[in-house]
Amino acid sequence: MLELGKTYNTAVEVTLEVIGGKWKPVILFHLTFGTKRNGELMSLMPTVTQKVLTQQLRELEEDGVVTRISYNQVPPKVEYELTEYGWSLKELLHIMCRWGDRHVERVYGDKVKILERVPDVNET
């Protein structure tokens, strides 16, 4: 959450305060492809711990970019999706992904493998 009365040098700082860190952009990126359950996110990000994933999802929910949908059933079912406001990040996240693809090709060539790529700009 943003701090009231705080001064930022640039709006980039504000953006990074909301989506910055190792996992938040990755979570948001995966949610641009639709609603996900906790287990799906864990599968898509095998090195994140459950504790960190839960914490990051709560922070994204507090900032109004992710919605947690809880179904009253047994066993419990919870899904996460982008809010309307969260969808405004889609273009930024996909541009970051494409930049990362180009950077890997430029710096590492075929020595690094990226498993999840964003579809071509005409497909999104």
Side-chain angles (χ1 to χ4, degrees), residues 28-88:
L28 292 167
F29 173 77
H30 287 301
L31 291 177
T32 66
F33 297 102
T35 302
K36 301 281 185 274
R37 294 182 68 176
N38 184 81
E40 290 176 284
L41 290 169
M42 290 292 292
S43 294
L44 291 166
M45 303 180 306
T47 58
V48 70
T49 65
Q50 181 62 62
K51 178 182 176 184
V52 169
L53 178 60
T54 300
Q55 176 187 359
Q56 300 291 276
L57 284 165
R58 284 186 183 143
E59 290 175 13
L60 290 166
E61 189 177 7
E62 286 173 15
D63 285 320
V65 293
V66 169
T67 297
R68 180 181 189 270
I69 305 162
S70 182
Y71 297 91
N72 190 14
Q73 67 182 51
V74 177
K77 179 180 175 182
V78 176
E79 294 179 330
Y80 296 92
E81 67 182 13
L82 294 175
T83 62
E84 185 177 334
Y85 184 54
W87 278 106
S88 67

Side-chain angles (χ1 to χ4, degrees), residues 99-122:
W99 186 90
D101 285 340
R102 287 191 301 274
H103 181 71
V104 162
E105 288 174 19
R106 179 176 183 258
V107 176
Y108 303 104
D110 61 357
K111 296 180 180 101
V112 172
K113 181 166 56 170
I114 297 176
L115 299 176
E116 184 80 23
R117 293 184 182 270
V118 70
D120 186 279
V121 75
N122 297 322

